[in-house]
Amino acid sequence: MAQRTVLVLLFDGVQSLDVTGPVEVFTGADTHTPGSYRIRTASLDGAPVRTSSGLTVVPDQALADASDPHTLLVPGGRGTRRPDPELVAWLRAHGPRAGRLVSVCTGAVLLAAAGLLDGHRATTHWAYCAKLARDHPDVDVDPDPIYVRDGHVATSAGVTSGIDLALALVEEDLGRDVALTVARHLVVFLRRPGNQAQFSAQLAAQTAQRAPLRDVQQWITEHPDDDLSVAALAARAALSPRHFARAFQAETGTTPGRYVDQVRLEHARRLLEDTGDGVEEISRGSGYGTPEAMRRAFLRALGTTPAEYRRRFSPAPVRRPR
């Protein structure tokens, strides 16, 4: 088995967890399967760097001395807000030589500045997605997933999502058993999918200012299988349907229908991941009514069926209750 070199870029203002999270995953995989990974860290001049939390990290080498890696990992942090021109120039020159480009959090900003994300679908921390899309229109920025794979390019959202992406890469390289062993050792979930939203539906939307609208938001979350039409929700808020729909969007940033769709999808995904309930039971309990309606919703939002979603992301074979 060929050893895969993982080169991690270091710079002042780097987010320490963006570095150590993936490094622990790849190191754990190499411990389980010796010779599978060789992890190297490098800064521009080989000098120690100070992370955004104040820790000092000593790199293995200078970037000028680094050989072309199998995986080039670019972490994020405050140091990406004003990208170092020398670092961007190095990425522009050497990034295309890497077998796999990986970013964590705002590391995507550095890759984009070097032109390495042009024509690719990518993500970053939710707070910087709009700016990344605005500054780099040739990048297809998706603000929702915790990580995105597009060919040899893999980008992830904030901080701990770098661990999720690294586990997915280990699974791709060495198989699910090795990735699961590493996840267990780190006491994290292996099964968090890349297309899982960075936020739950409740957190993705703003919390309404007025109590009646906040109560409606809570009601939707707790009763996804109820009548959640605009008329029914408006009656619960003691508002006319038109006034309710306008006020809900103004205060939450999304329409009632879209919020209901997100809550129902999230509820169904959680049941598919964590329970042995049948698809028909889950479709009713999540408010879809029929398995076919739930199937269409999954295909539209996730590009996969409920059955395939369960097969891929359930932690163990699902046994139907007797």
Side-chain angles (χ1 to χ4, degrees), residues 202 206-222 233 236-237 239 244 247-248 251-252 259:
Q202 298 93 305
Q206 302 168 37
T207 300
Q209 295 178 0
R210 283 181 278 181
L213 296 180
R214 289 200 303 271
D215 291 343
V216 167
Q217 285 183 286
Q218 188 64 28
W219 172 266
I220 293 171
T221 301
E222 295 174 353
L233 296 176
R236 181 166 293 279
L239 298 171
F244 169 77
F248 190 94
E251 294 198 19
T252 69
Y259 187 80

Side-chain angles (χ1 to χ4, degrees), residues 215-286:
D215 291 343
V216 167
Q217 285 183 286
Q218 188 64 28
W219 172 266
I220 293 171
T221 301
E222 295 174 353
H223 303 85
D225 58 340
D226 214 303
D227 178 4
L228 301 180
S229 64
V230 169
L233 296 176
R236 181 166 293 279
L239 298 171
S240 71
R242 184 177 180 181
H243 186 192
F244 169 77
R246 186 168 57 245
F248 190 94
Q249 182 164 7
E251 294 198 19
T252 69
T254 189
T255 66
R258 189 173 297 118
Y259 187 80
V260 168
D261 288 344
Q262 292 171 344
V263 167
R264 283 176 168 163
L265 183 68
E266 184 177 299
H267 186 262
R269 288 167 67 165
R270 187 166 58 249
L271 291 177
L272 287 169
E273 294 175 10
D274 297 338
T275 76
D277 296 346
V279 171
E280 185 170 352
E281 183 180 355
I282 290 174
S283 66
R284 290 197 306 270
S286 302

Side-chain angles (χ1 to χ4, degrees), residues 59-181:
D60 295 311
Q61 60 191 144
L63 283 174
D65 300 325
S67 57
D68 296 337
H70 172 272
T71 298
L72 176 59
L73 193 149
V74 183
R78 287 203 297 264
T80 66
R81 294 178 184 175
R82 295 182 179 177
D84 186 320
E86 288 188 58
L87 189 60
V88 172
W90 186 92
L91 282 169
R92 186 178 294 113
H94 296 270
R97 304 178 189 175
R100 191 162 60 191
L101 290 172
V102 178
S103 69
V104 182
C105 196
T106 54
V109 172
L110 297 179
L111 291 182
L116 299 174
L117 296 185
D118 288 355
H120 289 282
R121 179 169 165 258
T123 194
T124 186
H125 190 287
W126 62 269
Y128 298 93
C129 283
K131 187 176 189 304
L132 180 64
R134 185 172 59 251
D135 293 347
H136 302 279
D138 291 332
V139 181
D140 180 11
V141 180
D142 189 340
D144 291 328
I146 60 172
Y147 62 81
V148 169
R149 297 293 310 279
D150 188 358
H152 73 294
V153 176
T155 54
S156 61
V159 198
T160 59
S161 62
I163 296 175
D164 297 289
L165 176 54
L167 285 167
L169 297 176
V170 167
E171 182 175 359
E172 176 184 297
D173 294 340
L174 304 177
R176 185 173 179 81
D177 288 346
V178 175
L180 182 58
T181 298

Side-chain angles (χ1 to χ4, degrees), residues 13-57:
V14 70
Q15 162 65 253
S16 57
L17 277 176
D18 289 1
V19 175
T20 58
V23 165
E24 289 293 345
V25 170
F26 289 118
T27 300
D30 187 70
T31 299
H32 182 277
T33 309
S36 54
Y37 294 105
R38 177 174 180 261
I39 296 92
R40 306 292 292 171
T41 57
S43 64
L44 269 174
D45 55 4
V49 302
R50 192 170 180 81
T51 71
S52 58
S53 60
L55 297 174
T56 297
V57 180

